[in-house]
Amino acid sequence: MKHATALRAHRLVAAGMFAWLAGVPGIASALVERLDDSSSPSSQVRASLDDGSPITAPSASYSPIVRVAFGRVHYRLATARYVGRQARIYYVLPMGIPGLRSPAGLQVSWRTNGLFASGSGRPGDRVPVWSGTVRDAWITESLDLTWQLDTRELRLTRGMPLGFEAYFEIETLP
C-alpha cells in the first residue's frame, strides 16, 4: 500500500512538472527542425591529411596537431516555412565521424560573411549561429572552415577521406 501511494505521489509531481513546463514560454512551444540545405552548392566537407599543414611549437620538432583550411563553403537554407517567425539557427556537427576515435580529436572553426556568427565546435556540438525574425524564403551564408586535428585520434586507412556532413537546425520561438 505504501508503494502504491508513493507511486501516485511521484506521478502527481511528474504531471505537475509537465503542466508547469508547458506553461513556461519557449519550453513546450519551441519547435526544432533540420533546415533543408539541398540547394547548397556544397554542404559535405571532405579532406585528406595531405591538405594539412602541421602546427609545431617553437621548441618541438614534431606536433600531432594538423590544421586543415577548406576555404569557403556556401550554404543556401530553405526558410520559406518560417518567414515572419522568431527563430534561432544552429550549426550542428555530427557526433560520429568515420576515422575519428574521439570528439576531442577535432576542433572545427568557422568565420562568416557577417549574417551568421563565427564560432567553433567539436563533433556532437550544436552551436547557435543566428537569432532573429526570418525575413526571406532563403538564407544564404558562406563559412570559411578550418579543422584542427589531433592525428593521435585518427584511425584512417590509406586513401580514406576524413569527412562529415554538418547541417543546420532551426528552432522557432513562440
Side-chain angles (χ1 to χ4, degrees), residues 35-44 73-78 116 138-142 165-168:
L35 279 171
D36 177 6
D37 65 355
S38 60
S39 66
S40 297
S42 59
S43 60
Q44 191 160 35
V73 179
H74 302 280
Y75 293 96
R76 187 168 190 240
L77 307 174
F116 286 0
W138 298 96
I139 292 180
T140 57
E141 180 62 284
S142 298
E165 185 176 349
Y167 56 93
F168 292 90

Side-chain angles (χ1 to χ4, degrees), residues 110-145:
W110 59 91
R111 288 178 302 137
T112 67
N113 289 333
L115 181 62
F116 286 0
S118 297
S120 66
R122 295 197 180 277
D125 286 350
R126 184 175 176 256
V127 183
V129 293
W130 183 85
S131 181
T133 301
V134 178
R135 304 247 182 254
D136 298 308
W138 298 96
I139 292 180
T140 57
E141 180 62 284
S142 298
L143 306 181
D144 288 320
L145 285 176

Side-chain angles (χ1 to χ4, degrees), residues 68-123:
V68 181
F70 290 94
R72 196 167 296 250
V73 179
H74 302 280
Y75 293 96
R76 187 168 190 240
L77 307 174
T79 53
R81 292 182 44 201
Y82 313 102
V83 171
R85 307 254 341 246
Q86 285 288 321
R88 288 187 198 108
I89 295 177
Y90 297 86
Y91 189 53
V92 181
L93 301 167
M95 178 58 115
I97 297 176
L100 187 65
R101 291 182 346 150
S102 162
L106 175 62
Q107 175 78 35
V108 179
S109 301
W110 59 91
R111 288 178 302 137
T112 67
N113 289 333
L115 181 62
F116 286 0
S118 297
S120 66
R122 295 197 180 277

